[in-house]
Amino acid sequence: MQKLLNGVKVVELVGLAPVPYCGLVLSDFGADVTLVQKKSSEVVEQRLTRGKSSIALDLRDKNDLKKVKELCLTSDVLLDPHRPGVLEKMGLDPIDLLEEAGHDINYVALSGMMPTISGKHAERPWPPVNLLADFAGGGLTAAFGIVSALLARSHNGGKGCVIDCSMVEGLAYLSSFVTNYYNMSHLWTDPYAAFSGNCPIYRTYKTKDGKFMAVGALEPKFHQKMFEILGIDGSDAFGDPEKLTKDMEQKFEERTRDEWTQVFLGQDACVTPVLEIDEVGSFGHHKDRGTFEKNEEYGQWIAKPAPRMLYLPELVAQRKSKI
């Protein structure tokens, strides 16, 4: 992989979720990231540390604080995980920011997205673990902002800037498709709307072994192919979506998840297995792409950096090798 951020120095103050993930993204793409750990027996175990160096300092100690300041003076980026006001009290950051305390569930709730994720007719809004605000709206948005700021610096005389990355705002921006199309009831709010969670051709189905298959066959060419494979008459499939749902539930319970995976392998039907987190690395497509690597210390599959950068010489070489 090309290290596009070679030469960029980042100071990351230890924190949870958004900041360590942002630092991981920057490190994976070539930045020199120094993680400032706490000198404490109560330090939370850090696992998003690939490619980072680390140093243990006590920011309440004047000498250690001076070391952090010196690091910042020779670096391009400071990643701050604290609430606004904390760094000001430490003497590291004089800029006043808007206060906004909470966790991922609070930020998702404030963005307006939680009811759409759970489905309009769900018993109650359901939080999607802590992926959306912490990592998408927070860490990934911050990484994009940092790269943009570094690019801008080369055009404005070397001047830097402060990136105010609100997780609520990042998630709201990420949700632009939803907010722009939310008045289309057939997509969101009708009983069997496409993205309601109950649409018979866009939902999950339980299999014979208690696992699940994911169906995303919204377009006619895909759901017609799926009906053909399942042996379901789809000529008037949407006249009675409740009956279609029951028919499909019965069909999928006739075989195991892995059996259905083989049935739909190579078919343009948009039907795929729902993989467990401990089996993603052994799935054929991921093995071929090398998407995951096994972390032996934790015993878990860890995703490799994305996106991949393929430059013209590499693409030409790949094509020639296949001829």
Side-chain angles (χ1 to χ4, degrees):
M1 168 180 269
Q2 293 283 342
K3 301 296 185 179
L4 302 179
L5 298 180
N6 273 344
V8 174
K9 293 186 177 181
V10 179
V11 176
E12 175 189 327
L13 302 184
V14 69
L16 293 175
V19 162
Y21 178 63
C22 179
L24 178 71
V25 172
L26 298 176
S27 172
D28 282 341
F29 285 86
D32 179 4
V33 179
T34 299
L35 172 61
V36 179
Q37 300 263 31
K38 293 180 180 178
K39 286 182 178 177
S40 170
S41 59
E42 299 180 356
V43 173
V44 176
E45 182 182 5
Q46 298 293 309
R47 294 189 177 186
L48 302 179
T49 56
R50 181 172 57 216
K52 302 177 185 178
S53 59
S54 65
I55 182 172
L57 297 172
D58 183 353
L59 299 185
R60 295 167 297 183
D61 181 274
K62 290 184 178 180
N63 291 327
D64 282 359
L65 186 61
K66 182 180 178 182
K67 292 177 182 177
V68 175
K69 289 182 177 178
E70 290 171 351
L71 272 175
C72 291
L73 288 174
T74 58
S75 298
D76 303 286
V77 178
L78 171 64
L79 296 180
D80 166 24
H82 302 291
R83 287 180 57 190
V86 174
L87 286 188
E88 288 86 340
K89 292 178 181 178
M90 294 179 184
L92 284 176
D93 189 352
I95 306 228
D96 293 327
L97 300 172
L98 295 174
E99 290 196 26
E100 188 180 322
H103 284 289
D104 188 278
I105 187 173
N106 308 115
Y107 305 138
V108 177
L110 288 173
S111 73
M113 288 300 107
M114 193 176 290
T116 69
I117 295 161
S118 309
K120 186 71 174 179
H121 304 282
E123 180 183 353
R124 61 185 171 89
W126 198 266
V129 293
N130 69 326
L131 282 177
L132 285 182
D134 277 353
F135 294 97
L140 199 58
T141 300
F144 174 74
I146 288 167
V147 172
S148 300
L150 291 170
L151 180 62
R153 185 181 64 176
S154 65
H155 298 291
N156 65 5
K159 296 179 181 179
C161 69
V162 172
I163 299 168
D164 180 359
C165 184
S166 159
M167 284 181 275
V168 175
E169 293 168 7
L171 175 54
Y173 187 45
L174 179 72
S175 307
S176 294
F177 169 75
V178 179
T179 52
N180 275 280
Y181 287 86
Y182 198 68
N183 65 342
M184 295 185 175
S185 59
H186 69 281
L187 291 180
W188 312 101
T189 56
D190 287 345
Y192 291 95
F195 302 125
S196 67
N198 294 318
C199 177
I201 56 172
Y202 200 88
R203 53 159 286 182
T204 59
Y205 287 92
K206 196 172 187 178
T207 55
K208 185 177 181 180
D209 54 349
K211 297 181 180 181
F212 290 87
M213 294 294 288
V215 171
L218 285 177
E219 293 85 348
K221 64 178 180 180
F222 297 135
H223 59 243
Q224 287 167 8
K225 184 66 175 179
M226 178 187 67
F227 293 148
E228 177 188 328
I229 293 172
L230 291 175
I232 291 177
D233 181 7
S235 57
D236 188 31
F238 304 105
D240 190 347
E242 184 177 359
K243 181 180 182 302
L244 175 60
T245 298
K246 290 179 179 178
D247 289 346
M248 291 181 66
E249 286 176 340
Q250 291 175 0
K251 277 291 181 181
F252 276 106
E253 286 188 346
E254 292 177 1
R255 303 190 189 194
T256 66
R257 185 200 65 179
D258 291 348
E259 288 173 338
W260 281 121
T261 299
Q262 290 303 311
V263 169
F264 282 100
L265 187 65
Q267 302 288 348
D268 276 341
C270 296
V271 179
T272 55
V274 177
L275 299 176
E276 300 290 340
I277 198 169
D278 60 354
E279 61 182 347
V280 290
S282 56
F283 185 63
H285 174 77
H286 297 325
K287 287 175 67 176
D288 293 342
R289 293 267 302 169
T291 306
F292 296 88
E293 60 185 359
K294 194 68 173 283
N295 185 303
E296 300 300 336
E297 182 180 356
Y298 310 138
Q300 296 168 326
W301 291 106
I302 307 298
K304 293 181 180 179
R308 304 178 189 189
M309 303 298 181
L310 298 175
Y311 293 91
L312 190 57
E314 298 173 61
L315 291 172
V316 171
Q318 283 185 10
R319 287 190 177 181
K320 286 183 178 179
S321 67
K322 292 179 181 179
I323 296 176

